[in-house]
Amino acid sequence: MTAGTDVQGTVAAGYEPVLHAFERGFAARGDVGAAVTVYRDGVPVVDLWGGRAEADDAGVGAAGAGAAETSVRPWTAGTAQLVRSATKGPAAAVLHLLHQRGLIDLDAPVGTYWPEFKAEGKECVLVRHLLAHRAGLPALDTPLTPEQARDGESGPRALAAQPPAWEPGTAHGYHPHTYGWLLGEVVARATGRTLGQWFADEIATPLGLDLWIGLPDAARARVGRIATREAPAPPASAGLRVRTKPEVAAAYADPAALTRRAFGVIAPYPDENDPAYHAAEHPGSGGIATAHALARFYAALIGRVDGVRLYVPATLALARSEESAGPDRVLIVRTRFGSGYMLHGPAAPLLGPSSFGHPGRGGPLGFADPEAGIAFGYTTNTMHASVTSDPRPQALIRALRSCLNG
C-alpha cells in the first residue's frame, strides 16, 4: 500500500487516523525518515515507514543538492535506527527475565553480584534501585572519553569507585547513560554474558527482532543516519508543542548542575553515526532497532507473539509497579518509573494508565498497554529538542487512542 507520496506500509481497517498522523509528521512536524508499528493482541495492525534513511546532508556531493536526492537511501521496511534511551526498556527486560528464571534477585544488594560496587557507602544499593533510577549514580565524577565509554570496563569501574549523589533508595533521578553500565555489569557478573549478548540470545532470536544492543557487522548497512544536530521544536501550528520550563532549561545549561553532568558523562559526546558507537554495547542509550521490532518486543511482554511470551503475569506486574514518582533530581520535572520502565504520566504521556515503556531523547518511543492489548514502536532519524514527550509520537498516540475509543 502507498499512502500519499512518501509513506508505505499497511494499516488495518479502523486505524487510518494513525496513517494520517504519520503523514502529518512529514508534512508539519519535521520528520525526514521515520517508521511506526502498532501491535494489537499480538498482531500488527499498523506498519508504516517513509522518507529518507539519511536525515542530514550525507551523500551531498559536488553536484549539489540535486545529486543528493538520487544518492540518499530511502527509508525501507528494514531500515533500523538508533533509538537512544528507548533502549532502556529492552535492557530492563534482561534483568526481569533473569529474575523470572531465579538467576537474579531484584531485592539483593548489587554487591552480591558485583563485590567492588560496595565501596563508598553503596552497600545497601539494591538491584531494583538500579532499575528505578534510585541508586544515586546518574553522573560520573570524571567523564569518560568515547573510547572509554565503549570498552565495557571503564564505566562500571568508575561507578564502583565513587559515592552516590544522594542516599540510595531515598529519592530518584534519571540515569541517562550510567543506567546501561550499572545493569550491564550486574548481568555480566551473574551470567558470564554481556547484556547485549543475553538479549540477542534469549529475546531477539526467539522473537526474530531487528533490535540490537551492540550492532553486528552484518546489520551495519541497514542503519539509517540521524541528523547531526537536534532540530528545534515544531511550530505551534503543528500542535502539541513542547514547552520547557525555565528551571529545566537552566539545569541543562549549568555545567555544575546534576542534570548537565548526568547527560555529559561522555566527553566529548560521541558521534552517534559512528559504526564503532553502534557496535559497542550501550544498554542505556545505544540500541539500534526498527519500529516493528520495538513494537513486537513490547507485544511479547504482555502477550503471545507467534507463540512466544516473555513475561509471566507476575513479572509483568512487577515491571509496571510504581517504584519512583515525584520530583526527578535529574530531569527536574515530576516523573514516574516502574522497574526499568517509564509509566504513563505528564512527563511521558502514553496510551493510558496501564501503559509502560520508554522514550528516547529526541523522538524514539516504545511502549505497551496491557489493558488495551497494544504495543507501539516509533523510530525517526530527525531528533528534536525533547527528552520524554516528543510531538510526533504524541500525535500518533492521540490518533491511536481515537481508533480504540471510536
Side-chain angles (χ1 to χ4, degrees):
M1 180 203 76
T2 300
T5 59
D6 201 35
V7 173
Q8 300 181 51
T10 58
V11 178
Y15 292 88
E16 293 86 358
V18 180
L19 166 61
H20 302 325
F22 186 64
E23 291 175 321
R24 186 160 172 76
F26 294 94
R29 298 190 177 98
D31 261 330
V32 172
V36 62
T37 300
V38 178
Y39 270 67
R40 187 171 191 183
D41 297 329
V43 176
V45 293
V46 175
D47 199 16
L48 299 170
W49 60 89
R52 304 197 311 261
E54 282 87 4
D56 58 14
D57 59 359
V60 177
E69 292 300 319
T70 59
S71 63
V72 173
R73 292 178 293 151
W75 191 298
T76 70
T79 299
Q81 188 59 68
L82 179 73
V83 296
R84 290 182 171 168
S85 283
T87 314
K88 289 182 171 70
V94 174
L95 274 291
H96 281 294
L97 289 176
L98 288 169
H99 176 75
Q100 183 172 291
R101 299 179 187 185
L103 299 174
I104 284 181
D105 182 356
L106 300 188
D107 289 311
V110 173
T112 302
Y113 308 100
W114 180 5
E116 299 91 331
F117 183 83
K118 292 185 284 187
E120 298 293 337
K122 301 193 297 297
E123 299 89 348
C124 295
V125 179
L126 307 180
V127 176
R128 68 168 59 247
H129 291 155
L130 307 184
L131 287 162
H133 301 272
R134 303 182 71 83
L137 295 164
L140 294 178
D141 294 339
T142 302
L144 304 183
T145 66
E147 293 74 21
Q148 290 172 322
R150 295 196 302 262
D151 68 21
E153 298 178 358
S154 297
R157 185 166 55 242
L159 288 164
Q162 76 176 50
W166 62 80
E167 182 181 348
T170 63
H172 78 283
Y174 185 54
H175 290 44
H177 296 286
T178 58
Y179 176 98
W181 295 320
L182 292 166
L183 267 60
E185 191 66 13
V186 171
V187 171
R189 297 295 183 104
T191 70
R193 282 184 277 178
T194 67
L195 189 151
Q197 289 169 340
W198 205 95
F199 182 87
D201 294 342
E202 307 291 340
I203 299 177
T205 296
L207 281 166
L209 300 181
D210 293 325
L211 200 171
W212 303 275
I213 304 174
L215 186 74
D217 288 343
R220 183 182 300 176
R222 296 179 51 190
V223 181
R225 179 181 176 85
I226 67 169
T228 54
R229 290 180 296 275
E230 289 185 339
S237 60
L240 297 170
R241 183 170 182 173
V242 177
R243 293 178 174 84
T244 302
K245 295 180 179 180
E247 60 270 27
V248 176
Y252 280 97
D254 181 1
L258 187 60
T259 303
R260 176 72 172 269
R261 291 176 53 229
F263 281 94
V265 297
I266 309 173
Y269 199 78
D271 176 3
E272 292 178 303
N273 290 309
D274 184 354
Y277 182 81
H278 294 169
E281 290 191 19
H282 296 284
S285 59
I288 305 285
T290 63
H292 193 111
L294 269 180
R296 186 174 174 87
F297 161 75
Y298 276 101
L301 296 188
I302 63 173
R304 290 196 173 275
V305 177
D306 294 332
V308 178
R309 177 168 184 163
L310 297 177
Y311 286 174
V312 299
T315 303
L316 177 59
L318 176 64
R320 294 175 50 228
S321 296
E322 184 180 273
E323 294 278 346
S324 299
D328 188 302
R329 293 198 177 192
V330 171
L331 296 180
I332 308 302
V333 298
R334 299 177 67 87
T335 55
R336 296 180 67 227
F337 288 96
S339 185
Y341 302 93
M342 293 196 87
L343 303 179
H344 174 73
L350 301 174
L351 187 63
S354 75
S355 299
F356 69 102
H358 218 290
R361 180 170 60 89
L365 176 64
F367 74 86
D369 189 293
E371 289 186 4
I374 289 291
F376 176 100
Y378 168 80
T379 58
T380 178
N381 57 19
T382 313
M383 303 301 192
H384 285 173
S386 61
V387 178
T388 63
S389 182
D390 186 88
R392 294 161 297 172
Q394 287 300 305
L396 294 167
I397 292 169
R398 288 202 311 174
L400 176 59
R401 191 180 296 120
S402 74
C403 299
L404 301 176
N405 295 336

